[in-house]
């Protein structure tokens, strides 16, 4: 009899404990997330207010109603982030926001609503607003990009890969308003690449070949510009003596 009574007592205790914890969790999920309940990791550049200002969610907001996927997408876009992960947590209560920032490898310039915007470009060709960059990463930048648009990010990424893999010293990349691409290489000077993004890898190989050949005989000193808009028929203009 004592055994059965002890089992009943333990079962009752576990039931009460379970109900208490369930109630506590329910109360916690309906508690509102305040500014101080947002914890940020991965970057010292962004604050709790940055999270709130760059979200369409209306803070304070009940934890259960925080759309983590939406918040991640908005922060990634609005703060020019490489990646962001948002978790709802009960203990400690609040939102945990882990941020992976983009690392700039070039200065950038774009036009928005007829206004020139200065910023930076990362290895994926993504534009980063000035306020979203850690100044520690800017001391070694040697490349400038003018006329950035979203549709040019892939071609920029290909150019940056070529700079890494070849011995190219491209210092300026310019897209005209209608999308005509021109680059400036330290030795080969101005190089016209044109409108066709599908040719970029072929054009970059030719540029690398030119650089290697011309540097052997120092011919690059005589170059004014190179036209690779038709890479099968390159045109080289030299300075007249």
């Amino acid at each position: 009899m004592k055994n059965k009574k002890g089992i009943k007592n333990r079962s009752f205790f576990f039931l009460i404990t379970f109900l208490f914890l369930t109630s506590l969790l329910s109360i916690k999920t309906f508690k509102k997330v305040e500014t101080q309940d947002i914890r940020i990791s991965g970057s010292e550049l962004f604050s709790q207010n940055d999270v709130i200002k760059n979200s369409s969610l209306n803070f304070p907001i009940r934890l259960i109603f925080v759309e983590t996927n939406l918040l991640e997408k908005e922060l990634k876009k609005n703060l020019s982030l490489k990646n962001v992960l948002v978790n709802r947590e009960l203990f400690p209560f609040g939102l945990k926001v882990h941020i992976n920032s983009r690392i700039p490898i070039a200065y950038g310039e774009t036009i928005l609503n007829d206004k020139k915007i200065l910023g930076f470009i990362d290895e994926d060709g993504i534009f980063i607003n000035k306020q979203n960059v850690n100044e520690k990463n800017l001391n070694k930048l040697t490349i400038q990009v003018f006329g950035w648009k979203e549709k040019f990010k892939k071609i920029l990424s290909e150019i940056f890969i070529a700079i890494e893999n070849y011995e190219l010293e491209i210092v300026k990349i310019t897209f005209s308003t209608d999308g005509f691409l021109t680059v400036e290489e330290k030795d080969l000077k101005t190089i016209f690449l044109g409108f066709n993004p599908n040719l970029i890898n072929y054009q970059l190989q030719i540029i690398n070949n030119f650089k290697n050949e011309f540097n052997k005989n120092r011919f690059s000193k005589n170059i004014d510009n190179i036209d690779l808009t038709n890479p099968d028929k390159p045109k080289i203009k030299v300075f007249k003596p």
Side-chain angles (χ1 to χ4, degrees):
M1 283 295 286
K2 286 182 181 180
N3 248 355
K4 288 183 179 179
K5 191 173 180 181
I7 291 170
K8 282 184 179 180
N9 287 339
R10 282 197 297 274
S11 297
F12 180 73
F13 171 77
F14 287 133
L15 177 60
I16 294 298
T17 303
F18 174 76
L19 291 174
F20 172 76
L21 290 175
T22 303
S23 299
L24 181 62
L25 292 176
S26 267
I27 292 169
K28 282 262 189 181
T29 58
F30 280 95
K31 185 179 175 183
K32 287 187 176 182
V33 176
E34 305 283 351
T35 304
Q36 64 271 17
D37 299 319
I38 301 172
R39 296 181 302 282
I40 299 172
S41 61
S43 173
E44 298 176 357
L45 186 62
F46 302 102
S47 68
Q48 297 156 319
N49 284 328
D50 289 322
V51 172
I52 293 171
K53 287 178 184 176
N54 289 280
S55 167
S56 62
L57 300 177
N58 294 317
F59 286 87
I61 182 173
R62 299 190 190 281
L63 183 66
I64 197 171
F65 296 139
V66 175
E67 299 178 63
T68 55
N69 288 338
L70 172 63
L71 184 54
E72 288 170 354
K73 288 178 183 177
E74 290 180 333
L75 294 179
K76 185 175 180 180
K77 179 182 178 182
N78 297 335
L79 297 177
S80 310
L81 301 175
K82 193 170 186 69
N83 199 21
V84 58
L85 181 64
V86 178
N87 287 317
R88 291 179 291 194
E89 295 188 342
L90 296 177
F91 302 101
F93 174 81
L95 289 179
K96 185 176 180 181
V97 182
H98 183 77
I99 288 172
N100 286 333
S101 299
R102 293 188 178 277
I103 299 174
I105 63 171
Y107 294 101
E109 179 185 294
T110 187
I111 303 295
L112 182 64
N113 299 324
D114 295 325
K115 184 180 178 182
K116 189 183 294 183
I117 306 295
L118 301 178
F120 303 90
I121 312 293
D122 84 332
E123 64 181 0
D124 298 319
I126 301 295
F127 188 85
I128 315 168
N129 290 322
K130 285 178 70 175
Q131 66 269 24
N132 297 331
V133 167
N134 191 329
E135 292 184 4
K136 295 177 184 176
N137 299 318
L138 306 180
N139 56 348
K140 295 182 180 178
L141 302 187
T142 59
I143 307 169
Q144 294 177 298
V145 177
F146 297 95
W148 181 93
K149 290 181 182 178
E150 180 79 18
K151 63 182 179 181
F152 299 142
K153 62 184 183 182
K154 187 176 186 300
I155 197 168
L156 282 170
S157 177
E158 298 290 348
I159 293 172
F160 295 146
I161 290 171
I163 291 172
E164 186 71 24
N165 293 338
Y166 300 145
E167 294 184 7
L168 300 179
E169 295 180 79
I170 293 175
V171 294
K172 187 187 293 185
I173 303 168
T174 304
F175 296 94
S176 67
T177 52
D178 57 357
F180 189 95
L181 173 60
T182 305
V183 300
E184 186 175 318
E185 208 277 338
K186 187 177 178 182
D187 294 321
L188 302 179
K189 313 300 187 299
T190 302
I191 306 170
F192 303 114
L193 299 178
F195 294 103
N196 191 344
N198 297 321
L199 295 175
I200 188 61
N201 285 314
Y202 183 32
Q203 290 169 321
L204 289 167
Q205 289 173 17
I206 293 173
I207 294 171
N208 185 57
N209 292 339
F210 277 170
K211 176 149 184 170
N212 291 336
E213 288 300 318
F214 293 167
N215 280 351
K216 289 177 184 177
N217 53 33
R218 298 184 180 180
F219 181 74
S220 60
K221 291 183 178 181
N222 302 319
I223 295 175
D224 180 27
N225 64 65
I226 300 174
D227 186 343
L228 288 179
T229 51
N230 181 352
D232 290 324
K233 296 180 179 179
K235 299 175 183 177
I236 302 172
K237 183 179 179 181
V238 297
F239 290 110
K240 293 181 180 179

